Amino acid sequence: MIGYTIVGGFLGSGKTTLINSILANAATNPEGGERIAVIVNDLGEINIDAALIAQATDDTVELTNGCVCCSIGDSLATTLRDLCLREVPPERIVLECSGAAEPGPVAAYGSRKVLAEPTIVVTADATDVQRRAEDARFAALVRAQLSSADLIAVTKGDLVEDGGHGAAEWLRKETRGAVILGRPDDLGAVLPSGEPDLLEINPGTTSATALNVRSYPVTGMTLVELEQHLTSINGLVRAKGFGEVDGVVSLIQWSAGRLIVDPWRADQAHAPGLVTISS
Amino acid sequence: MVSATNSQLTIFTARSVITMEPTASPATAIAVRDGLIAEVGTLDSLQPWLRHHEHVIDDRYADSVLMPGLIDPHVHPSLMAALLATDWITPEAWDLPSGPIPATLSHEDWVRQLRGLLEREEQSGVSADTPLIVFGWHEQFHGRIDRELLDSIESERPVIVWQRSFHELRCNSAGLTFLDAEEGAEWDPHIELDTGRLYESGMTWGLNTLMPIVLEPTLLRKNLGEFAALVRAGGITTIVDAGLGNLDIDIELGAYRDVLEDEAIGFSTHMMLSAGRVRQKWKDELFEIAETMLNEQPSASTRKRLGILKAAKLFSDGAFIAQLMKVGGLGYIDGHEGAWMIEPAQLLRLARPWWERGWDIHIHTNGDMGVESCLDMTRALLTESPRFDHRTTLHHFGVSTTAQTRAMGSLGVHVSANGYYLNLFADTFAEQWLGTERASEMTRLGSVVAAGSTASVHSDVPMGPLAPLLAASTMATRRTSAGNVRGAGEALTPEQALRTITIDAAFQMRLDHRIGSLCAGKDADFVALAKNPLEVDPGDWPDIEIVGTVSRGIVTPSAPAAEARTASISAGK
């Protein structure tokens, strides 16, 4: 079965930034990373490092590591089918919904013989999600988007005084989804590959607060310092990203209390910074 | 002096000439040379020309009334030609070049017509593998048509029923197989095998198979020729394709060049680019390609018939007939919601590059929320990059408010209304969807004109028939096909109504320096009518015989019987 993630969210809530971040991370996936296909509304809004592009046509961009990004085109059904029936099919499809669309009905597309039940991720803007959900003009759409979500990513927390925790709390009460808090630029490091983890530790049922996703540069640290640093983060669930450890650019992964650091080829592109998820 | 290179003048005489020029003196003759009007007046007033130039008097229209050739500013030639490749069972009567299509108004009658078609085609040897594609089913008139019913009528031959407003297909079992619908249903939730229904996105799946059939190059050219006959029969000398590229711009342009680019075709075709489609197709080269296409414009002097208007066609809210327009206030009576085709923020984003490069913006919009989105777009663009005389025009214009028509007056936004909505749908929409007030005031052109904007009317063919006199008549009488007068306060005067199919339609397309009225220097485009519309009740306009048309001075070949009959819609009559 091919994994399936649908990304929705109101206009301006950080959806395209998240998609770009997912692509940037997919593009720099190490060997063995998930080979994903991203379907977007508008290829023109997508930024992909030219060095990572193997081949590009009008509506499809193929990356050097087998990932692919294409536009929805005339028909979602045919776009999904064509991707799934490729000679080398993707391991996961990530679909970007338009800001005016409800992800629920979109989830009905695609053959269940080859495509798994989708995980619905919805971005919510911490600065205005509550207001939108109460504004008669947008309420029906915004609430439908939020209530369809398995995972809600609260964005722009840095623009509100409480860091977005108020919005996150409100969403945890109002919706069924797991809630995470972070910049959409960082979320690509944990989505979609970290979805099972995130859903398993659903803060809606097991924790009093939403999960925080943060990123920061790692430079000039030794392996020991990095391990000490990660251990000192309260409630750390997962960390992934790149940094300079013992003077070598490395892929850093921390999961279930275990730290793995692999040297990264200097000439190979990589996403900046280390991203952590903590409760 | 008579220059040797000048051809002679032709003087068309008439009982009277309606010039649509506000200050013109009464006229009974038009002097024409090289496709242009030398002068409009009387045989007396034309003497200065006649004394100096060789001339012939053409009195074939001596008993007729001449008025500017009619303009339909919103048609879809390629879609109409594609549909002419199908068989028609429609709720309205149509006069097609292949023969008259009767109005089919009940389920039983629809079934009878379908059986008749199948029998006739079987007798004429059409193989059972060839799909029968039937256009025109409308649930409001023909009731439920589904797989079970269609299988009971035809079990072997694929039967594909194409809904009147294009959004849906219904098939028998063989039809579903023909469209690969079983595979489609796996991927698309809008393909229902048990009912034989393909709708919304499922429609796209079906069209992947159907389009190559109806757009087959030879057939498309033949059917464009038939479309042209319908244009001439409507007294029309100028049409505007409101969305070149909707189907496939290369296929469309190729066929247009072969068929419509003909000096003797009897009318000129101007085209607006379908902004979304050409952007998808041409990407970064969009304006490079689009602006190169502007180089050759149709005119009497270039003898070209086909040209691109510097105008982009966009969409706001959904379809009118399918009740997908966005209506504000308390919405639809049954509480369902309409849909955006392009959401407001996106509309502004898509329109901006065209606006900034001086292209005109024409937008499909039907509900008052759709209209508001267009007005917001205009306000934003006017603030960002002020433009005088931008002629932004809203097309179809189902439901609107007077606050909006007042705003349109001050923003310089114009309207091209669908001339048939009121005629065909006001009664049903009052009962089922909008209530009496809003349904009665649909296409409120009285308020538009009162606020200082211009109004034109169009057929949106194949949505409505190519009968501008009927559309204009409806806007003057506000009478529905069942004979009810709705929104009398929005009625246009007869003069205003005639402007909607002549000079004001020309103005909106920036063609009013060439066509739309009759005066010295303009193209010699006119229509000959058996009666003077200004001397009969506007309700009788649809029955006025169209005697012939002249396009750039060329008299179109006299119409065969089927063509001379005015296409009429008579549902419910």
Side-chain angles (χ1 to χ4, degrees):
Chain A
M1 292 291 262
I2 298 171
Y4 190 15
T5 300
I6 295 176
V7 180
F10 200 72
L11 291 164
S13 60
K15 200 168 27 29
T16 304
T17 317
L18 168 59
I19 291 286
N20 270 321
S21 162
I22 288 176
L23 265 168
N25 279 278
T28 56
N29 254 341
E31 299 282 325
E34 232 181 355
R35 191 172 57 248
I36 68 169
V38 183
I39 305 175
V40 297
N41 283 305
D42 185 354
L43 265 185
E45 299 221 329
I46 298 302
N47 310 311
I48 303 172
D49 189 340
L52 302 172
I53 297 177
Q55 205 183 333
T57 63
D58 281 355
D59 43 19
T60 309
V61 178
E62 310 258 359
L63 305 183
T64 45
N65 66 344
C67 291
V68 54
C69 181
C70 61
S71 63
I72 280 188
D74 282 347
S75 156
L76 176 56
T78 3
T79 307
L80 283 172
R81 185 194 57 166
D82 293 350
L83 280 174
C84 291
L85 300 185
R86 277 174 160 236
E87 213 165 300
V88 185
E91 291 162 298
R92 173 173 294 276
I93 289 178
V94 177
L95 168 68
E96 179 197 20
C97 281
S98 126
E102 293 176 22
V106 173
Y109 286 82
S111 169
R112 287 296 165 271
K113 289 181 191 161
V114 289
L115 205 53
E117 270 303 319
T119 305
I120 298 178
V121 178
V122 170
T123 50
D125 180 340
T127 65
D128 73 357
V129 62
Q130 275 168 277
R131 197 162 46 77
R132 295 263 190 217
E134 272 144 30
D135 182 327
R137 287 173 298 167
F138 313 115
L141 175 62
V142 169
R143 284 180 182 271
Q145 288 176 340
L146 294 171
S147 65
S148 68
D150 299 306
L151 186 66
I152 297 175
V154 181
T155 61
K156 305 193 185 175
D158 49 333
L159 300 180
V160 284
E161 272 180 28
D162 68 357
H165 287 283
E169 282 303 298
W170 179 80
L171 285 163
R172 284 187 50 253
K173 277 191 230 119
E174 296 281 323
T175 66
R176 64 179 179 88
V179 179
I180 59 175
L181 195 59
R183 294 169 58 236
D185 316 66
D186 301 334
L187 292 170
V190 295
L191 293 175
S193 58
E195 276 165 18
D197 283 2
L198 292 167
L199 293 174
E200 198 180 300
I201 32 169
N202 183 343
T205 54
T206 62
S207 156
T209 54
L211 289 180
N212 291 293
V213 179
R214 295 198 185 86
S215 87
Y216 36 86
V218 172
T219 47
M221 273 193 181
T222 64
L223 186 59
V224 178
E225 283 167 346
L226 177 65
E227 187 150 24
Q228 277 170 354
H229 169 73
L230 290 173
T231 321
S232 73
I233 298 176
N234 256 344
L236 182 67
V237 180
R238 206 164 184 272
K240 188 186 167 191
F242 295 88
E244 195 196 310
V245 183
D246 288 334
V248 180
V249 174
S250 306
L251 169 68
I252 304 165
Q253 298 183 82
W254 195 92
S255 176
R258 262 178 351 120
L259 175 65
I260 302 166
V261 176
D262 294 317
W264 195 245
R265 280 212 338 261
D267 61 338
Q268 223 174 338
H270 60 81
L274 177 68
V275 175
T276 63
I277 311 170
S278 59
S279 56
Chain B
M1 283 291 294
V2 179
S3 155
T5 58
N6 283 346
S7 52
Q8 65 186 5
L9 286 165
T10 302
I11 318 300
F12 289 94
T13 56
R15 200 163 82 230
S16 62
V17 178
I18 302 173
T19 62
M20 300 308 291
E21 280 289 313
T23 56
S25 309
T28 53
I30 305 175
V32 173
R33 191 180 67 200
D34 300 328
L36 298 175
I37 295 174
E39 187 168 311
V40 179
T42 61
L43 284 178
D44 267 354
S45 72
L46 292 175
Q47 281 307 315
W49 276 98
L50 303 189
R51 277 198 298 273
H52 289 84
H53 293 274
E54 283 178 37
H55 59 272
V56 290
I57 305 284
D58 186 329
D59 62 0
R60 75 181 78 203
Y61 299 130
D63 294 329
S64 304
V65 173
L66 298 180
M67 68 176 284
L70 306 182
I71 299 170
D72 192 330
H74 190 127
V75 298
H76 297 289
S78 53
L79 184 56
M80 182 63 172
L83 285 176
L84 287 172
T86 70
D87 287 290
W88 290 33
I89 308 176
T90 55
E92 333 84 327
W94 290 77
D95 267 328
L96 300 182
S98 56
I101 304 292
T104 299
L105 292 165
S106 71
H107 181 76
E108 294 67 35
D109 204 11
W110 190 91
V111 170
R112 200 175 312 123
Q113 294 279 353
L114 180 65
R115 286 188 197 278
L117 267 177
L118 284 159
E119 272 165 34
R120 278 198 301 282
E121 295 208 359
E122 195 185 347
Q123 280 159 15
S124 64
V126 177
S127 98
D129 306 335
T130 313
L132 178 72
I133 308 167
V134 184
F135 163 70
W137 162 65
H138 193 309
E139 189 144 20
Q140 185 184 316
F141 301 94
H142 306 136
R144 189 178 166 84
I145 304 295
D146 59 12
R147 179 181 184 171
E148 197 185 340
L149 174 81
L150 293 170
D151 277 344
S152 75
I153 298 171
E154 174 59 57
S155 56
E156 262 179 68
R157 191 175 166 196
V159 175
I160 298 162
V161 176
W162 201 335
Q163 195 214 13
R164 178 67 183 83
S165 62
F166 316 111
H167 296 274
E168 203 169 323
L169 300 172
R170 299 274 169 120
C171 308
N172 66 353
S173 300
L176 289 172
T177 307
F178 184 82
L179 297 177
D180 285 327
E182 202 161 320
E183 197 202 343
E186 234 180 77
W187 295 91
D188 197 311
H190 296 146
I191 298 177
E192 297 172 3
L193 295 177
D194 51 343
T195 55
R197 179 176 181 222
L198 291 82
Y199 62 106
E200 294 176 18
S201 57
M203 185 73 196
T204 316
W205 183 279
L207 290 179
N208 285 342
T209 309
L210 284 187
M211 276 306 179
I213 299 176
V214 294
L215 293 180
E216 188 278 315
T218 313
L219 194 60
L220 179 62
R221 282 159 178 75
K222 171 182 156 288
N223 289 332
L224 261 183
E226 299 205 342
F227 165 81
L230 291 172
V231 173
R232 292 190 293 265
I236 298 164
T237 53
T238 301
I239 56 170
V240 176
D241 182 331
L244 184 70
N246 272 346
L247 301 182
D248 180 314
I249 194 164
D250 296 329
I251 292 178
E252 289 173 296
L253 260 184
Y256 288 5
R257 285 185 178 130
D258 286 351
V259 180
L260 304 179
E261 185 61 281
D262 173 357
E263 184 66 1
I265 195 80
F267 57 91
S268 302
T269 303
H270 300 264
M271 300 165 284
M272 288 179 198
L273 294 174
S274 182
R277 305 294 296 203
V278 296
R279 175 172 169 266
Q280 230 171 35
K281 190 171 175 81
W282 296 332
K283 314 264 175 206
D284 294 345
E285 294 170 305
L286 172 59
F287 286 104
E288 199 182 312
I289 299 176
E291 282 166 8
T292 308
M293 293 177 88
L294 293 173
N295 291 343
E296 281 194 61
Q297 285 301 314
S299 76
S301 51
T302 61
R303 299 193 163 261
K304 286 187 67 70
R305 284 295 192 184
L306 211 53
I308 303 278
L309 290 172
K310 196 173 179 185
K313 168 75 183 308
L314 290 113
F315 294 85
S316 176
D317 58 333
F320 181 87
I321 300 177
Q323 304 108 42
L324 287 171
M325 62 176 161
K326 298 281 283 181
V327 292
L330 299 185
Y332 288 97
I333 292 177
D334 69 350
H336 83 270
E337 302 247 342
W340 293 110
M341 291 182 78
I342 299 177
E343 48 202 72
Q346 180 84 341
L347 179 64
L348 174 61
R349 207 167 63 88
L350 284 177
R352 185 178 285 124
W354 299 95
W355 174 279
E356 286 176 349
R357 298 180 78 98
W359 287 63
D360 291 346
I361 308 289
H362 290 255
I363 314 170
H364 156 119
T365 181
N366 276 305
D368 54 322
M369 287 173 77
V371 170
E372 199 59 33
S373 169
C374 299
L375 297 183
D376 282 344
M377 176 211 80
T378 312
R379 290 182 187 108
L381 292 174
L382 279 171
T383 310
E384 289 173 14
S385 331
R387 238 178 98 185
F388 291 101
D389 194 19
H390 53 85
R391 301 197 199 183
T392 299
T393 301
L394 311 188
H395 287 241
H396 308 325
F397 202 63
V399 174
S400 61
T401 68
T402 53
Q404 292 175 328
T405 50
R406 281 188 294 272
M408 290 163 60
S410 44
L411 290 167
V413 172
H414 305 274
V415 170
S416 184
N418 184 303
Y420 308 101
Y421 282 172
L422 183 93
N423 184 285
L424 273 183
F425 300 106
D427 294 332
T428 329
F429 273 56
E431 283 300 315
Q432 295 183 12
W433 311 112
L434 297 172
T436 307
E437 182 189 330
R438 287 181 300 173
S440 298
E441 289 171 1
M442 65 174 58
T443 54
R444 54 158 39 118
L445 296 189
S447 295
V448 170
V449 172
S453 298
T454 63
S456 68
V457 292
H458 59 247
S459 65
D460 198 12
V461 73
M463 296 308 302
L466 287 158
L469 281 174
L470 171 59
S473 162
T474 303
M475 292 298 100
T477 62
R478 304 286 299 179
R479 202 170 294 147
T480 69
S481 57
N484 301 316
V485 171
R486 288 192 177 270
E490 292 292 347
L492 298 179
T493 65
E495 289 79 5
Q496 285 170 339
L498 290 184
R499 292 179 69 92
T500 67
I501 51 176
T502 56
I503 188 66
D504 286 351
F507 172 84
Q508 293 171 353
M509 304 299 150
R510 293 189 197 273
L511 297 170
D512 53 318
H513 60 303
R514 300 238 54 86
I515 58 171
S517 68
L518 300 175
C519 63
K522 279 194 162 183
D523 288 4
D525 281 9
F526 40 89
V527 55
L529 304 173
K531 287 182 184 165
N532 186 336
L534 295 175
E535 289 168 4
V536 302
D537 186 289
D540 295 331
W541 289 357
D543 301 325
I544 295 179
E545 186 198 341
I546 291 162
V547 181
T549 54
V550 173
S551 174
R552 296 200 192 137
I554 302 170
V555 177
T556 57
S558 69
E563 203 178 312
R565 281 196 301 269
T566 307
S568 69
I569 48 174
S570 56
K573 241 185 196 171

